[in-house]
Amino acid sequence: MSVPVLEIQGVTKAFDGKPVLQGIDLKVEEHTAVVMIGASGSGKSSLLRCINLLVDIDDGDILLDGEVVTDPAVDPQRVRRSLAMVFQHFNLFPHMRVLDQITLAPVKAHGIPKDEAVEEARALLARFGLADRERDYPDQLSGGQQQRVALIRAIATRPRALLRDEITSALDPELVGEVLEVVRELKVGGMTMLIATHEMAFARDVADEVCFLHQGRVVERGTGRQMIESPQEPETQKFLARMLATRAV
Amino acid sequence: MSAEPISRREIRAAARKRSDRQNMLIAALSTIIVIGGGILLVTTRQGWPVVQETFFSVDAFRMSFPDILRGFWIDVKLFLVVEVLVLIFSLLVAVLRSTRAPALYPFRLISAVSTDLFRGIPTILVVYLIGFGIPALALPGVPNDPIILAAIALTISYTAYVSEVFRAGIDSVHPGQRGAALAVGLSRAQAMRFVILPQAVRNVIPPLLNDFISLQKDVALVSVLGIVEAFRVAQIEAASTFNYTPLLAAASLYVIVTVPLSLFLDRMQKRDRGRRRLEEARR
Ligand SMILES: Nc1ncnc2c1ncn2[C@@H]1O[C@H](COP(=O)(O)OP(=O)(O)OP(=O)(O)O)[C@@H](O)[C@H]1O
Ligand SMILES: [Mg+2]
């Protein structure tokens, strides 16, 4: 088998002595989507931030295309340029219009000519139904539109893999469907993705593999259907029962 | 069914209009009574003609004003030059202090210490120290022109204040912004320049304008170095004629510059508050 795009090996991380990641192992093969589920505080966002080198890990290794990127000698900017991240709270730049927001990194960090970057950004905006929004500021957009802009900003740099941290609060059902559609489309386009989500239907329907995180460990993993419909571990069962009690899948 | 809400709306609008008109009338009447009464009270006192002659003499004004205006031009030029220098240096200091690079440590140390030092020393003392102290050293190649020394002194003193304003602005930007900037592949310097600084500056424009207004007034401090700017001219005229009208004339010049700035600042703060409320309401 080929080398996975992302490989996490025994990663641990503690914040102020409090363990948050306790030996995570995970692989994301090319053109696949791996979805992480787990209770609030189980470490999903922390792991994504570690992969993006925004947070230093304590132990273990993270490999991107077989290269150990958590080596202190590796330039983090080079690694981040080939990864993209959609943050849980989007973290859009409030002082920049949608179009500038999207072209900033391609132009400044990737050296793509401005015209080309603009053209590409417009194509992406059109594809995600935001063609008439390029001159808006983030606070003029709805939550769902902001989420799509955050996604476009991330993939405009043509990343090797997309890290996606989905918002915790329940999106309204229409938006869930929309996000699902977008991710499906990205998958068809060949994108490699690692996604943290609270939407179980989403995990079941788009994931090639679902990992259940509990207190900083991957307690169980399997295909979407396996994990959501017939989980084996008691922790997974408890978590899913709780999720199903509060929202319909 | 449809006629009723319309008529209700009309009744409400009419009532509002009535109360608005009443409020305006009361405000106008009260203003006339208080201010008019005050003026009447002052101008009918026995001592009023003396006060008028000493502070509001038309002749003294006419005699001194052209010189004062010429002096004020020095204030304006000094203000503009110092303002630009202060903006540049304080931004540099603020950015420098927010970096982590070990090679820059000595610069961070120096700027931290000098900021705390010069914020603690009265501006007039800094002007005095530099304006008289440096020429006393008689060093070769060091400027002796009091205007240049005054500009240096004001720049040092105000950089200490304004760099702290910028630093607060940088701190006010949510850390997630830096994370997002790095995540899209920008370098640390690019994240600072394109993402953090623009937001930081926007957040501190009101306090920044406040410091501009202070500086505009503190320019008069350079008169201690014998520079004949507006205040100095007025002082000389007043001392030789025992008439204080020139001082008021100088004061009015400073006011003419600072009041529009203050009004602009007020408007901006109001708009800012409105925007913030709007943002919170959206959340
Ligand atoms: N910078 C930090 N400093 C200290 N503690 C942190 C920091 N970042 C995360 N944590 C802690 O790490 C734990 C895991 O947080 P994390 O955000 O990874 O959870 P999560 O699985 O993403 O939760 P959610 O589903 O609510 O998004 C939490 O207990 C959190 O308080
Ligand atoms: Mg999270």
Side-chain angles (χ1 to χ4, degrees), chain A residues 52 54 77 80-81 83-85 87 90-96 104-105 108-110 139-141 153 157, chain B residues 174-188 190 193-196 198-199 202 275 279 282:
Chain A
N52 222 338
L54 289 173
Q77 198 197 346
R80 292 190 201 114
R81 271 201 299 246
L83 290 172
M85 172 115 167
F87 290 84
F90 313 146
N91 300 7
L92 292 174
F93 305 136
H95 62 298
M96 289 184 142
L104 177 68
K108 302 292 178 194
H110 297 258
D139 65 357
Q140 294 171 286
L141 302 173
R153 182 178 74 180
T157 57
Chain B
H174 194 280
Q177 291 290 311
R178 188 167 168 276
L182 296 178
V184 290
L186 298 181
S187 66
R188 280 165 203 280
Q190 285 174 324
R193 166 143 178 245
F194 298 115
V195 175
I196 298 170
Q199 294 182 60
R202 195 163 307 192
R275 207 192 62 206
E279 269 171 24
R282 274 169 179 276

Short mmCIF file of all heavy atoms in Angstrom, two decimals, chain A residues 52 54 77 80-81 83-85 87 90-96 104-105 108-110 139-141 153 157, chain B residues 174-188 190 193-196 198-199 202 275 279 282:
data_model
loop_
_atom_site.label_atom_id
_atom_site.label_comp_id
_atom_site.label_asym_id
_atom_site.label_seq_id
_atom_site.Cartn_x
_atom_site.Cartn_y
_atom_site.Cartn_z
N ASN A 52 -1.34 20.70 12.48
CA ASN A 52 -1.02 21.93 11.77
C ASN A 52 0.18 22.65 12.38
O ASN A 52 0.52 23.77 11.99
CB ASN A 52 -2.23 22.86 11.81
CG ASN A 52 -2.43 23.53 10.49
OD1 ASN A 52 -1.49 23.63 9.72
ND2 ASN A 52 -3.63 23.98 10.23
N LEU A 54 0.37 24.21 15.04
CA LEU A 54 0.03 25.42 15.79
C LEU A 54 0.29 25.16 17.27
O LEU A 54 0.41 26.08 18.07
CB LEU A 54 -1.44 25.81 15.58
CG LEU A 54 -1.77 26.34 14.19
CD1 LEU A 54 -3.28 26.54 14.02
CD2 LEU A 54 -1.05 27.65 13.92
N GLN A 77 6.22 26.64 8.59
CA GLN A 77 5.49 27.36 7.54
C GLN A 77 5.36 26.50 6.28
O GLN A 77 4.31 26.49 5.63
CB GLN A 77 6.19 28.67 7.21
CG GLN A 77 5.26 29.63 6.48
CD GLN A 77 6.01 30.75 5.78
OE1 GLN A 77 7.20 30.97 6.03
NE2 GLN A 77 5.33 31.46 4.91
N ARG A 80 2.61 23.97 6.94
CA ARG A 80 1.27 24.58 6.94
C ARG A 80 0.84 24.97 5.54
O ARG A 80 -0.35 25.02 5.25
CB ARG A 80 1.26 25.81 7.85
CG ARG A 80 1.41 25.47 9.32
CD ARG A 80 1.16 26.70 10.15
NE ARG A 80 1.76 26.55 11.46
CZ ARG A 80 2.77 27.29 11.91
NH1 ARG A 80 3.28 28.25 11.14
NH2 ARG A 80 3.27 27.09 13.09
N ARG A 81 1.83 25.29 4.70
CA ARG A 81 1.46 25.66 3.33
C ARG A 81 0.85 24.49 2.58
O ARG A 81 0.08 24.68 1.65
CB ARG A 81 2.67 26.20 2.57
CG ARG A 81 2.82 27.70 2.74
CD ARG A 81 3.66 28.28 1.62
NE ARG A 81 4.99 27.71 1.59
CZ ARG A 81 6.10 28.40 1.85
NH1 ARG A 81 6.03 29.67 2.13
NH2 ARG A 81 7.26 27.82 1.80
N LEU A 83 -0.92 22.09 4.14
CA LEU A 83 -2.13 21.65 4.83
C LEU A 83 -3.11 22.81 4.87
O LEU A 83 -2.71 23.96 4.79
CB LEU A 83 -1.80 21.25 6.27
CG LEU A 83 -1.00 19.96 6.47
CD1 LEU A 83 -0.59 19.81 7.92
CD2 LEU A 83 -1.82 18.76 6.02
N ALA A 84 -4.39 22.50 5.00
CA ALA A 84 -5.36 23.58 5.17
C ALA A 84 -6.24 23.26 6.35
O ALA A 84 -6.42 22.10 6.69
CB ALA A 84 -6.21 23.73 3.91
N MET A 85 -6.76 24.31 6.97
CA MET A 85 -7.55 24.07 8.18
C MET A 85 -8.79 24.94 8.18
O MET A 85 -8.73 26.13 7.88
CB MET A 85 -6.67 24.41 9.39
CG MET A 85 -7.40 24.39 10.69
SD MET A 85 -6.74 23.08 11.73
CE MET A 85 -7.44 23.49 13.30
N PHE A 87 -11.34 26.21 10.90
CA PHE A 87 -11.42 26.25 12.35
C PHE A 87 -12.85 26.09 12.84
O PHE A 87 -13.80 26.43 12.15
CB PHE A 87 -10.85 27.57 12.88
CG PHE A 87 -9.36 27.66 12.73
CD1 PHE A 87 -8.80 28.09 11.54
CD2 PHE A 87 -8.51 27.33 13.77
CE1 PHE A 87 -7.43 28.18 11.38
CE2 PHE A 87 -7.15 27.42 13.63
CZ PHE A 87 -6.60 27.84 12.43
N PHE A 90 -14.33 29.24 12.65
CA PHE A 90 -14.02 29.82 11.33
C PHE A 90 -12.79 30.72 11.34
O PHE A 90 -11.98 30.67 10.43
CB PHE A 90 -15.20 30.60 10.73
CG PHE A 90 -16.51 29.88 10.81
CD1 PHE A 90 -17.69 30.57 11.01
CD2 PHE A 90 -16.57 28.49 10.71
CE1 PHE A 90 -18.90 29.90 11.09
CE2 PHE A 90 -17.77 27.81 10.79
CZ PHE A 90 -18.94 28.52 10.99
N ASN A 91 -12.68 31.60 12.38
CA ASN A 91 -11.57 32.55 12.45
C ASN A 91 -11.37 33.30 11.13
O ASN A 91 -10.25 33.45 10.66
CB ASN A 91 -10.26 31.85 12.84
CG ASN A 91 -10.34 31.16 14.18
OD1 ASN A 91 -11.42 31.10 14.78
ND2 ASN A 91 -9.23 30.68 14.68
N LEU A 92 -12.44 33.78 10.57
CA LEU A 92 -12.32 34.62 9.38
C LEU A 92 -11.66 35.94 9.77
O LEU A 92 -11.71 36.34 10.93
CB LEU A 92 -13.70 34.88 8.76
CG LEU A 92 -14.37 33.64 8.17
CD1 LEU A 92 -15.79 33.98 7.72
CD2 LEU A 92 -13.57 33.09 7.00
N PHE A 93 -11.04 36.60 8.81
CA PHE A 93 -10.40 37.89 9.09
C PHE A 93 -11.46 38.98 8.97
O PHE A 93 -11.91 39.27 7.86
CB PHE A 93 -9.25 38.14 8.12
CG PHE A 93 -8.23 37.03 8.08
CD1 PHE A 93 -7.73 36.56 6.88
CD2 PHE A 93 -7.77 36.45 9.26
CE1 PHE A 93 -6.79 35.53 6.84
CE2 PHE A 93 -6.83 35.42 9.24
CZ PHE A 93 -6.34 34.96 8.03
N PRO A 94 -11.86 39.60 10.10
CA PRO A 94 -13.01 40.51 10.06
C PRO A 94 -12.77 41.77 9.23
O PRO A 94 -13.72 42.41 8.80
CB PRO A 94 -13.25 40.87 11.53
CG PRO A 94 -11.96 40.58 12.22
CD PRO A 94 -11.31 39.46 11.45
N HIS A 95 -11.49 42.12 9.00
CA HIS A 95 -11.20 43.37 8.30
C HIS A 95 -11.04 43.17 6.80
O HIS A 95 -10.71 44.12 6.09
CB HIS A 95 -9.93 43.99 8.88
CG HIS A 95 -8.71 43.12 8.68
ND1 HIS A 95 -8.61 41.88 9.24
CD2 HIS A 95 -7.58 43.32 7.98
CE1 HIS A 95 -7.45 41.35 8.91
NE2 HIS A 95 -6.81 42.20 8.14
N MET A 96 -11.26 41.96 6.32
CA MET A 96 -11.04 41.71 4.90
C MET A 96 -12.32 41.25 4.22
O MET A 96 -13.06 40.44 4.75
CB MET A 96 -9.99 40.61 4.73
CG MET A 96 -8.62 41.04 5.11
SD MET A 96 -7.49 39.69 4.74
CE MET A 96 -6.13 40.64 4.15
N LEU A 104 -5.58 36.07 -0.11
CA LEU A 104 -4.41 36.49 0.68
C LEU A 104 -3.29 35.45 0.66
O LEU A 104 -2.15 35.74 0.27
CB LEU A 104 -4.84 36.80 2.12
CG LEU A 104 -3.70 37.17 3.08
CD1 LEU A 104 -3.10 38.52 2.72
CD2 LEU A 104 -4.19 37.19 4.53
N ALA A 105 -3.62 34.24 1.10
CA ALA A 105 -2.58 33.22 1.21
C ALA A 105 -2.04 32.76 -0.15
O ALA A 105 -0.82 32.67 -0.33
CB ALA A 105 -3.08 32.03 2.02
N LYS A 108 0.26 35.76 -1.18
CA LYS A 108 1.40 36.10 -0.32
C LYS A 108 2.25 34.90 0.08
O LYS A 108 3.46 35.02 0.25
CB LYS A 108 0.91 36.79 0.96
CG LYS A 108 0.09 38.05 0.73
CD LYS A 108 0.94 39.17 0.17
CE LYS A 108 0.08 40.39 -0.09
NZ LYS A 108 0.77 41.38 -0.94
N ALA A 109 1.62 33.76 0.28
CA ALA A 109 2.39 32.62 0.79
C ALA A 109 2.72 31.59 -0.29
O ALA A 109 3.65 30.82 -0.14
CB ALA A 109 1.63 31.94 1.93
N HIS A 110 1.97 31.60 -1.38
CA HIS A 110 2.20 30.58 -2.40
C HIS A 110 2.68 31.18 -3.71
O HIS A 110 2.91 30.45 -4.67
CB HIS A 110 0.92 29.76 -2.63
CG HIS A 110 0.48 29.00 -1.42
ND1 HIS A 110 0.70 27.68 -1.25
CD2 HIS A 110 -0.14 29.43 -0.29
CE1 HIS A 110 0.22 27.29 -0.08
NE2 HIS A 110 -0.30 28.33 0.52
N ASP A 139 -18.83 39.81 8.77
CA ASP A 139 -19.99 40.03 9.66
C ASP A 139 -21.27 40.34 8.88
O ASP A 139 -22.33 40.52 9.48
CB ASP A 139 -19.69 41.10 10.73
CG ASP A 139 -19.47 42.47 10.13
OD1 ASP A 139 -19.48 42.59 8.89
OD2 ASP A 139 -19.27 43.43 10.89
N GLN A 140 -21.16 40.41 7.57
CA GLN A 140 -22.38 40.59 6.77
C GLN A 140 -22.93 39.26 6.28
O GLN A 140 -23.92 39.22 5.55
CB GLN A 140 -22.07 41.47 5.55
CG GLN A 140 -21.69 42.90 5.92
CD GLN A 140 -21.18 43.67 4.74
OE1 GLN A 140 -20.07 43.46 4.28
NE2 GLN A 140 -22.00 44.55 4.20
N LEU A 141 -22.26 38.17 6.65
CA LEU A 141 -22.67 36.85 6.16
C LEU A 141 -23.38 36.06 7.25
O LEU A 141 -23.14 36.26 8.43
CB LEU A 141 -21.44 36.06 5.71
CG LEU A 141 -20.57 36.69 4.62
CD1 LEU A 141 -19.32 35.86 4.42
CD2 LEU A 141 -21.34 36.81 3.32
N ARG A 153 -11.48 29.54 1.76
CA ARG A 153 -10.19 30.11 2.12
C ARG A 153 -9.16 29.00 2.32
O ARG A 153 -8.00 29.13 1.96
CB ARG A 153 -10.32 30.96 3.39
CG ARG A 153 -9.03 31.64 3.79
CD ARG A 153 -9.20 32.51 5.01
NE ARG A 153 -9.32 31.72 6.23
CZ ARG A 153 -9.47 32.24 7.44
NH1 ARG A 153 -9.56 33.55 7.59
NH2 ARG A 153 -9.56 31.47 8.50
N THR A 157 -5.70 27.28 -1.31
CA THR A 157 -4.24 27.10 -1.37
C THR A 157 -3.87 25.73 -1.95
O THR A 157 -2.71 25.36 -1.93
CB THR A 157 -3.63 27.22 0.05
OG1 THR A 157 -4.26 26.25 0.90
CG2 THR A 157 -3.86 28.60 0.63
N HIS B 174 -7.85 38.79 18.67
CA HIS B 174 -8.05 37.42 19.16
C HIS B 174 -6.93 36.49 18.68
O HIS B 174 -6.56 36.54 17.51
CB HIS B 174 -9.40 36.90 18.65
CG HIS B 174 -9.83 35.65 19.35
ND1 HIS B 174 -9.34 34.41 19.01
CD2 HIS B 174 -10.67 35.46 20.39
CE1 HIS B 174 -9.88 33.50 19.81
NE2 HIS B 174 -10.70 34.12 20.65
N PRO B 175 -6.37 35.66 19.59
CA PRO B 175 -5.27 34.78 19.19
C PRO B 175 -5.63 33.85 18.03
O PRO B 175 -4.75 33.44 17.27
CB PRO B 175 -4.95 33.98 20.46
CG PRO B 175 -5.98 34.33 21.47
CD PRO B 175 -6.68 35.57 21.03
N GLY B 176 -6.92 33.55 17.88
CA GLY B 176 -7.35 32.70 16.77
C GLY B 176 -7.03 33.31 15.42
O GLY B 176 -6.87 32.58 14.42
N GLN B 177 -6.92 34.62 15.37
CA GLN B 177 -6.59 35.30 14.11
C GLN B 177 -5.18 34.95 13.67
O GLN B 177 -4.92 34.74 12.50
CB GLN B 177 -6.74 36.82 14.28
CG GLN B 177 -8.17 37.25 14.45
CD GLN B 177 -8.95 37.08 13.16
OE1 GLN B 177 -8.52 37.51 12.10
NE2 GLN B 177 -10.09 36.42 13.23
N ARG B 178 -4.27 34.92 14.64
CA ARG B 178 -2.90 34.58 14.32
C ARG B 178 -2.84 33.12 13.87
O ARG B 178 -2.19 32.79 12.87
CB ARG B 178 -2.02 34.80 15.55
CG ARG B 178 -0.56 34.65 15.27
CD ARG B 178 0.27 35.18 16.43
NE ARG B 178 1.64 34.78 16.26
CZ ARG B 178 2.11 33.60 16.64
NH1 ARG B 178 1.32 32.73 17.23
NH2 ARG B 178 3.38 33.29 16.42
N GLY B 179 -3.55 32.26 14.59
CA GLY B 179 -3.59 30.85 14.22
C GLY B 179 -4.09 30.67 12.80
O GLY B 179 -3.50 29.93 12.01
N ALA B 180 -5.16 31.38 12.47
CA ALA B 180 -5.74 31.26 11.13
C ALA B 180 -4.76 31.76 10.07
O ALA B 180 -4.63 31.18 9.00
CB ALA B 180 -7.06 32.02 11.06
N ALA B 181 -4.07 32.86 10.39
CA ALA B 181 -3.12 33.42 9.43
C ALA B 181 -1.96 32.45 9.19
O ALA B 181 -1.54 32.23 8.04
CB ALA B 181 -2.59 34.76 9.93
N LEU B 182 -1.47 31.85 10.27
CA LEU B 182 -0.38 30.87 10.11
C LEU B 182 -0.89 29.63 9.37
O LEU B 182 -0.19 29.07 8.53
CB LEU B 182 0.18 30.47 11.47
CG LEU B 182 0.87 31.57 12.28
CD1 LEU B 182 1.34 31.03 13.62
CD2 LEU B 182 2.04 32.17 11.51
N ALA B 183 -2.13 29.24 9.68
CA ALA B 183 -2.67 28.02 9.09
C ALA B 183 -2.80 28.12 7.57
O ALA B 183 -2.65 27.12 6.87
CB ALA B 183 -4.03 27.69 9.71
N VAL B 184 -3.10 29.29 7.05
CA VAL B 184 -3.19 29.39 5.59
C VAL B 184 -1.81 29.47 4.94
O VAL B 184 -1.71 29.51 3.72
CB VAL B 184 -4.05 30.59 5.10
CG1 VAL B 184 -5.51 30.36 5.40
CG2 VAL B 184 -3.56 31.91 5.66
N GLY B 185 -0.78 29.50 5.77
CA GLY B 185 0.57 29.42 5.22
C GLY B 185 1.37 30.70 5.26
O GLY B 185 2.48 30.77 4.74
N LEU B 186 0.83 31.73 5.92
CA LEU B 186 1.59 32.98 6.03
C LEU B 186 2.73 32.80 7.03
O LEU B 186 2.63 31.98 7.96
CB LEU B 186 0.68 34.12 6.49
CG LEU B 186 -0.50 34.50 5.59
CD1 LEU B 186 -1.26 35.67 6.21
CD2 LEU B 186 -0.04 34.88 4.20
N SER B 187 3.80 33.57 6.85
CA SER B 187 4.87 33.58 7.84
C SER B 187 4.43 34.42 9.03
O SER B 187 3.42 35.12 8.96
CB SER B 187 6.14 34.18 7.23
OG SER B 187 5.92 35.54 6.94
N ARG B 188 5.20 34.36 10.12
CA ARG B 188 4.85 35.17 11.29
C ARG B 188 4.78 36.65 10.95
O ARG B 188 3.87 37.37 11.36
CB ARG B 188 5.92 35.00 12.38
CG ARG B 188 5.78 33.74 13.18
CD ARG B 188 7.07 33.48 13.95
NE ARG B 188 7.15 32.07 14.27
CZ ARG B 188 6.50 31.51 15.30
NH1 ARG B 188 5.77 32.27 16.09
NH2 ARG B 188 6.59 30.23 15.54
N GLN B 190 4.26 38.01 8.02
CA GLN B 190 3.09 38.29 7.17
C GLN B 190 1.80 38.29 7.99
O GLN B 190 0.90 39.09 7.75
CB GLN B 190 3.00 37.25 6.06
CG GLN B 190 4.02 37.45 4.96
CD GLN B 190 3.98 36.32 3.95
OE1 GLN B 190 3.74 35.15 4.31
NE2 GLN B 190 4.21 36.64 2.69
N ARG B 193 1.65 41.59 9.65
CA ARG B 193 1.41 42.71 8.74
C ARG B 193 0.00 42.70 8.12
O ARG B 193 -0.65 43.73 8.05
CB ARG B 193 2.48 42.65 7.65
CG ARG B 193 2.17 43.51 6.50
CD ARG B 193 3.35 44.17 5.87
NE ARG B 193 2.83 44.91 4.74
CZ ARG B 193 3.12 44.64 3.50
NH1 ARG B 193 3.99 43.70 3.21
NH2 ARG B 193 2.55 45.32 2.53
N PHE B 194 -0.46 41.54 7.69
CA PHE B 194 -1.73 41.52 6.94
C PHE B 194 -2.95 41.24 7.80
O PHE B 194 -4.05 41.57 7.43
CB PHE B 194 -1.66 40.49 5.81
CG PHE B 194 -0.61 40.79 4.79
CD1 PHE B 194 0.47 39.94 4.62
CD2 PHE B 194 -0.70 41.94 4.02
CE1 PHE B 194 1.44 40.23 3.69
CE2 PHE B 194 0.27 42.23 3.08
CZ PHE B 194 1.36 41.38 2.92
N VAL B 195 -2.73 40.56 8.94
CA VAL B 195 -3.90 40.14 9.71
C VAL B 195 -3.98 40.83 11.07
O VAL B 195 -5.01 41.38 11.43
CB VAL B 195 -3.89 38.60 9.90
CG1 VAL B 195 -5.03 38.17 10.81
CG2 VAL B 195 -3.98 37.92 8.54
N ILE B 196 -2.88 40.84 11.82
CA ILE B 196 -2.97 41.35 13.19
C ILE B 196 -2.92 42.88 13.24
O ILE B 196 -3.79 43.52 13.82
CB ILE B 196 -1.87 40.73 14.06
CG1 ILE B 196 -2.08 39.21 14.11
CG2 ILE B 196 -1.89 41.30 15.47
CD1 ILE B 196 -0.97 38.43 14.72
N PRO B 198 -3.54 45.36 11.01
CA PRO B 198 -4.70 46.14 10.55
C PRO B 198 -5.83 46.15 11.57
O PRO B 198 -6.47 47.18 11.80
CB PRO B 198 -5.14 45.43 9.28
CG PRO B 198 -3.95 44.67 8.82
CD PRO B 198 -3.17 44.31 10.06
N GLN B 199 -6.06 45.01 12.22
CA GLN B 199 -7.12 44.96 13.23
C GLN B 199 -6.70 45.72 14.48
O GLN B 199 -7.52 46.41 15.10
CB GLN B 199 -7.42 43.51 13.60
CG GLN B 199 -8.02 42.73 12.44
CD GLN B 199 -8.36 41.31 12.87
OE1 GLN B 199 -9.15 41.10 13.77
NE2 GLN B 199 -7.75 40.34 12.22
N ARG B 202 -7.00 49.49 13.91
CA ARG B 202 -8.41 49.87 13.91
C ARG B 202 -8.97 49.93 15.33
O ARG B 202 -9.71 50.84 15.67
CB ARG B 202 -9.20 48.86 13.09
CG ARG B 202 -10.55 49.36 12.72
CD ARG B 202 -11.12 48.53 11.61
NE ARG B 202 -10.19 48.46 10.47
CZ ARG B 202 -10.54 48.00 9.29
NH1 ARG B 202 -11.76 47.57 9.09
NH2 ARG B 202 -9.67 47.98 8.31
N ARG B 275 -21.44 49.91 16.36
CA ARG B 275 -21.03 48.73 15.62
C ARG B 275 -20.85 47.54 16.57
O ARG B 275 -21.22 46.43 16.28
CB ARG B 275 -19.70 49.02 14.91
CG ARG B 275 -19.51 48.19 13.66
CD ARG B 275 -18.10 48.29 13.16
NE ARG B 275 -17.19 47.78 14.15
CZ ARG B 275 -15.91 48.16 14.25
NH1 ARG B 275 -15.42 49.05 13.45
NH2 ARG B 275 -15.14 47.64 15.17
N GLU B 279 -22.66 43.96 16.57
CA GLU B 279 -21.95 42.69 16.50
C GLU B 279 -22.40 41.76 17.61
O GLU B 279 -22.57 40.57 17.41
CB GLU B 279 -20.44 42.91 16.61
CG GLU B 279 -19.80 43.08 15.25
CD GLU B 279 -18.34 43.50 15.35
OE1 GLU B 279 -17.72 43.24 16.39
OE2 GLU B 279 -17.85 44.11 14.39
N ARG B 282 -25.70 40.24 16.98
CA ARG B 282 -25.67 39.16 16.00
C ARG B 282 -25.23 37.84 16.62
O ARG B 282 -25.49 36.78 16.10
CB ARG B 282 -24.64 39.49 14.92
CG ARG B 282 -25.20 40.34 13.82
CD ARG B 282 -24.02 40.83 13.00
NE ARG B 282 -24.47 41.64 11.90
CZ ARG B 282 -24.89 41.12 10.75
NH1 ARG B 282 -24.93 39.84 10.57
NH2 ARG B 282 -25.30 41.93 9.80
#
